Amino acid sequence: MVQDLFKAPYPRIVAGPCSVESEEQMLSTARALAQDPRILALRGGVWKPRTQPGTFEGIGPAALPWLKKASQETGLPVITEVANVQHVEQALEAGIDMLWIGARTTVNPFYVEEIAEALRGTSIPVLVKNPIHPELKLWLGALERLEKKGISQLMAIHRGFYAYQSQPFRNEPKWEIFFALRTQRPDIPVLCDPSHIAGKSELIGEVAQSALDLGMEGLIIESHHAPGHALSDARQQVTPRELSHILDHLVYRKEAPENERFIQKLEDLRRQIDRVDEQLLDILRERLRLVEQIGPVKEANEATIFQMRRWFKVLENRKQYGTKKGLDPEIVHELFQLIHKYSIDTQLSRS
Ligand code: PEP
Ligand code: MN
């Protein structure tokens, strides 16, 4: 009987190669990973969605028995990516324990619907990666499409978002999308995929730590017995030994440790923050009162509502003042962009 990833305590860790390349590669990686009891499931891509043609596109169905064998030998459940109905049928037929839907598939509701339909009547767990671009609704939509066909064991995988010339990571984490997912679906566990966010093995620990600090339930990390020879994503794969080393150095925080002094201190600071937030809102209301007065003055003098030179001066001045007060000028910039937009919208709606 293989372990159940959904019933395991946190953090839930899945590991395995980007692609299943040969029986030998899959088995030797799996055997090494199984030495670490923190690893609860094995991943391995059989059909690889590659951005560019001419690169390794996966072994295909011939690799499914190798994945299954890795599960039988180690007692760990195995998971692979499916991108169409045929993949689903072949993976189910081979007895693969769980499936994941990749970032390039989550973007397309037609694909997701077809996959969901092919899964109707099964009870296989499905993990859904975020779409390539940061559109929360597509991610939520994919999860809902699966739910509608009766798939109840669902998890989400946060693997970052494509950005032109993203640095230092391969994909931007955009943690705010995870917060939004968590707010809308607090019932769905989320694993972070630091391998595809980082794109480089040396940044995996840092990304994984951020994910755990933000309260994600686990990690899915690419591991290969010889990363230098990997046929896909070589730069971001780590050996099983390196993976254990990364896991050793992660700090596993609890969302709410049951320690009286900690709870007291937290509540005290939160009360103070609540008070400051109220003051912030009072001041914002005061600013709005002035904005409401300036609109008619501009109108009476036939001046435009948006005054570019004034806006640039405001922005520069607030950033300088903020810096003097020890605030990050980038944050001040963003904040005033929002405040200014609100001000212009208010004046437009009243003119
Ligand atoms: C993968 O997990 O190897 C993969 C192709 O991921 P993604 O869909 O996140 O690009
Ligand atoms: Mn990969």
Side-chain angles (χ1 to χ4, degrees):
M1 178 61 193
V2 290
Q3 289 203 40
D4 186 342
L5 183 68
F6 280 72
K7 296 206 179 95
Y10 303 148
R12 294 167 178 167
I13 310 223
V14 180
C18 175
S19 307
V20 180
E21 299 166 2
S22 68
E23 181 168 1
E24 197 275 326
Q25 169 251 9
M26 187 63 218
L27 289 178
S28 80
T29 306
R31 284 182 199 124
L33 289 170
Q35 300 294 311
D36 189 326
R38 293 168 293 193
I39 292 161
L40 304 177
L42 298 170
R43 62 154 282 156
V46 164
W47 297 279
K48 298 303 300 175
R50 305 309 300 278
T51 303
Q52 276 164 321
T55 46
F56 177 65
E57 297 196 321
I59 298 281
L64 292 168
W66 306 335
L67 207 50
K68 189 69 196 159
K69 198 163 168 189
S71 168
Q72 283 159 347
E73 268 205 29
T74 59
L76 297 173
V78 282
I79 177 165
T80 200
E81 172 170 353
V82 288
N84 62 35
V85 174
Q86 202 189 9
H87 297 167
V88 170
E89 286 166 355
Q90 291 175 336
L92 291 174
E93 173 73 25
I96 300 301
D97 303 289
M98 297 180 283
L99 304 174
W100 91 74
I101 294 182
R104 292 162 191 78
T105 306
T106 310
V107 284
N108 191 324
F110 286 132
Y111 300 160
V112 177
E113 184 63 24
E114 280 180 19
I115 292 170
E117 182 55 36
L119 288 169
R120 188 202 284 275
T122 71
S123 56
I124 192 161
V126 183
L127 280 61
V128 180
K129 288 201 170 198
N130 63 255
I132 294 264
H133 64 279
E135 192 175 356
L136 175 66
K137 283 189 179 151
L138 279 173
W139 203 2
L140 286 169
L143 291 159
E144 276 167 34
R145 282 178 198 278
L146 290 159
E147 275 174 328
K148 284 211 161 98
K149 308 287 175 179
I151 302 298
S152 59
Q153 287 199 295
L154 288 169
M155 279 194 207
I157 299 177
H158 175 241
R159 52 76 80 196
F161 301 88
Y162 171 79
Y164 183 56
Q165 292 180 333
S166 158
Q167 274 305 334
F169 302 130
R170 174 179 174 189
N171 288 297
E172 280 186 5
K174 291 196 178 297
W175 302 112
E176 64 275 19
I177 305 281
F178 157 69
F179 297 146
L181 177 76
R182 169 84 357 136
T183 309
Q184 299 221 16
R185 293 301 306 262
D187 55 316
I188 295 188
V190 181
L191 304 186
C192 180
D193 175 344
S195 309
H196 287 88
I197 292 179
K200 302 173 191 72
S201 53
E202 64 275 19
L203 296 179
I204 288 175
E206 174 189 328
V207 176
Q209 186 65 62
S210 300
L212 294 180
D213 290 348
L214 295 175
M216 291 198 200
E217 281 75 19
L219 303 166
I220 174 162
I221 301 183
E222 287 188 340
S223 177
H224 188 290
H225 72 146
H229 294 110
L231 300 179
S232 60
D233 288 349
R235 187 66 185 81
Q236 71 194 30
Q237 301 207 61
V238 290
T239 62
R241 186 197 283 267
E242 284 163 346
L243 176 58
S244 294
H245 186 74
I246 291 173
L247 299 180
D248 286 345
H249 287 84
L250 291 175
V251 180
Y252 303 92
R253 294 180 226 277
K254 293 192 202 128
E255 192 183 345
E258 286 153 26
N259 166 328
E260 268 305 310
R261 287 229 335 261
F262 162 78
I263 291 169
Q264 271 296 310
K265 184 86 197 145
L266 198 66
E267 276 178 6
D268 182 35
L269 287 169
R270 281 181 175 160
R271 260 195 304 274
Q272 294 185 51
I273 288 177
D274 289 348
R275 248 192 329 270
V276 172
D277 283 354
E278 261 176 32
Q279 289 169 359
L280 265 175
L281 292 172
D282 287 344
I283 289 181
L284 214 54
R285 185 66 193 89
E286 181 60 18
R287 193 183 196 282
L288 188 62
R289 203 180 54 76
L290 296 168
V291 165
E292 284 163 352
Q293 291 175 36
I294 210 170
V297 173
K298 285 180 188 162
E299 201 175 354
N301 291 281
E302 293 181 351
T304 54
I305 287 179
F306 177 57
Q307 305 257 332
M308 188 143 77
R309 260 186 309 178
R310 159 77 181 155
W311 163 233
F312 285 150
K313 250 195 232 156
V314 166
L315 201 56
E316 210 31 59
N317 169 289
R318 305 305 185 261
K319 276 160 73 178
Q320 271 180 19
Y321 187 77
T323 309
K324 223 163 61 191
K325 292 278 169 183
L327 294 172
D328 180 344
E330 287 294 313
I331 302 284
V332 176
H333 187 112
E334 271 184 46
L335 189 64
F336 272 89
Q337 251 173 339
L338 194 66
I339 290 176
H340 185 250
K341 181 180 180 303
Y342 185 36
S343 162
I344 297 288
D345 288 350
T346 306
Q347 295 176 61
L348 282 173
S349 68
R350 312 248 157 121
S351 66

